[in-house]
Amino acid sequence: MILTEAPAVTAALEAAVRAPSPHNTQPWLFEVGPDVIGVVLDEDRVLTVCDPDRREARLSCGAALLNLELALAVAGRSCDVELLPSKNRPELLARAGIGARHRATATERRLAASIRARYSNRRPFASTPVPAGARHAVRQAAREEGAKLILLDEIGLLEAVAGLIRRADHLQTLDEGFQTELRAWTKGNGSHDGVPAYAGGPRPSGGLLPVRHHGESDQVREFERDPVVAVLTTPTDGPLAQVRAGRAMQRALLTATSLGLSASFYSQPMEIPAARTVLRSLLGENEHPQVIFRVGYGFPGTTTPRRGVEEVTRTGP
């Protein structure tokens, strides 16, 4: 592998694999050539039941791309990104050219420092309110990537969307195909992918919304009754919008992490087409919902494992 800045590239790839993904499937590959890194959707890691159109996988790859850019920035290199660079290779989602010397901004350093600290916190959050300044910062982070972050309690839609999430969660509970797929990605300790039981959180009892349960634990805990729930939307949909949405999602999550906040996803209605259509009608037809997550002050947890850089890297064309 011929690289002009091998240490910077290695650091960037180590950051990229820390992106979130559904069931921690890590659906990415990186093609590395002289001064360029291609971000490729790994078809073998797409969830065929809950993500048949590959939307969530593209979001994850977009998040990995943002991590890669931030890590390159703090390593002192600029990055020239081209999204969906090849019509003949739809799985090639982006190409990041490694450019000239770059002095990282304070924001780039702050977000890059949050990459390893960020994780999906599936445990109950504290009842401490999320202040207005933090809400604004997370919204602004999504806006910088061309997306909108809607906080449901601020527009009177929390109860309606909560009902939609509960119904979607119930449907997935009854779907044996979904449950089989979920069990396949619920891993024991020592695996480098999937969600280990220790990161799955307790079974929800009470609270407004059901957090997806991984693992076989029978522990039951009551979750917060007044969660801060955000929906990230884009003005259009399709592969390009989904990659951009993944970047916006990750910038918002890293911003939240840098402010001491935790987050975890409510993916249930996003994985059922009819539920996603209802959600769009609630938000307005001009909005295409891409991600739903909760934000709050979480009790300490732990990150989920990742595959090593050597497992996800190949020499580029």
Side-chain angles (χ1 to χ4, degrees), residues 19-314:
S21 59
H23 300 356
N24 194 24
T25 50
Q26 304 170 44
W28 44 63
L29 292 168
F30 302 97
E31 294 181 343
V32 183
D35 290 328
V36 65
I37 302 173
V39 180
V40 180
L41 189 152
D42 186 348
E43 293 281 354
D44 292 338
R45 287 179 168 265
V46 171
L47 296 169
T48 58
V49 177
C50 74
D51 190 29
D53 61 359
R54 297 157 176 75
R55 189 187 61 82
E56 290 184 320
R58 293 190 192 98
L59 291 172
S60 299
C61 290
L65 175 63
L66 183 72
N67 280 3
L68 187 147
E69 292 178 61
L70 290 169
L72 284 172
V74 298
R77 301 304 299 245
S78 63
C79 190
D80 182 19
V81 172
E82 184 182 6
L83 300 181
L84 275 61
S86 173
K87 293 182 179 179
N88 297 324
R89 291 189 64 200
E91 74 278 10
L92 178 61
L93 300 182
R95 187 177 288 122
I98 304 171
R101 300 295 300 176
H102 170 77
R103 178 177 292 180
T105 66
T107 297
E108 288 169 336
R109 292 193 297 271
R110 175 171 52 85
L111 296 183
S114 297
I115 289 172
R116 284 194 172 273
R118 187 218 61 82
Y119 65 96
S120 294
N121 190 334
R122 300 175 181 88
R123 302 178 183 277
F125 290 171
S127 58
T128 307
V130 178
R135 288 167 173 256
H136 173 76
V138 176
R139 275 196 304 260
Q140 179 59 30
R143 190 177 300 121
E144 289 177 14
E145 297 289 344
K148 179 187 290 187
L149 197 68
I150 301 170
L151 300 181
L152 297 177
D153 61 326
E154 296 182 355
I155 61 171
L157 282 179
L158 181 57
E159 289 285 350
V161 176
L164 185 63
I165 294 172
R166 288 193 296 268
R167 290 192 293 274
D169 184 74
H170 179 66
L171 289 174
Q172 289 184 330
T173 300
L174 300 176
D175 185 336
E176 184 54 38
F178 174 85
Q179 292 299 318
T180 298
E181 187 173 71
L182 179 65
R183 287 191 295 268
W185 287 97
T186 300
K187 304 295 185 73
N189 294 346
S191 178
H192 294 158
D193 57 13
V195 180
Y198 67 77
R203 294 184 184 276
S205 173
L208 185 66
L209 289 166
V211 176
R212 178 172 289 164
H213 179 72
H214 294 259
E216 299 177 354
S217 171
D218 290 327
Q219 182 186 19
V220 176
R221 292 277 303 278
E222 184 172 314
F223 280 68
E224 62 271 20
R225 293 188 174 276
D226 190 23
V228 176
V229 180
V231 182
L232 187 142
T233 69
T234 50
T236 61
D237 200 11
L240 179 60
Q242 290 155 13
V243 175
R244 287 175 170 165
R247 293 169 55 88
M249 171 188 74
Q250 185 67 351
R251 186 175 288 273
L253 292 173
L254 292 176
T255 299
T257 301
S258 74
L259 295 171
L261 295 166
S262 291
S264 63
F265 298 97
Y266 292 121
S267 300
Q268 300 95 322
M270 308 306 300
E271 296 166 351
I272 299 176
R276 191 174 177 219
T277 298
V278 172
L279 178 60
R280 187 183 177 199
S281 68
L282 287 171
L283 297 173
E285 294 299 325
N286 292 329
E287 305 296 336
H288 292 268
Q290 301 288 353
V291 187
I292 308 175
F293 58 90
R294 70 200 249 264
V295 179
Y297 291 98
F299 299 98
T302 185
T303 58
T304 49
R306 293 295 190 274
R307 293 180 292 162
V309 166
E310 67 283 354
E311 295 182 70
V312 298
T313 305
R314 62 193 185 193

Side-chain angles (χ1 to χ4, degrees), residues 2-16:
I2 302 172
L3 302 171
T4 58
E5 289 289 328
V9 170
T10 298
L13 293 170
E14 289 174 345

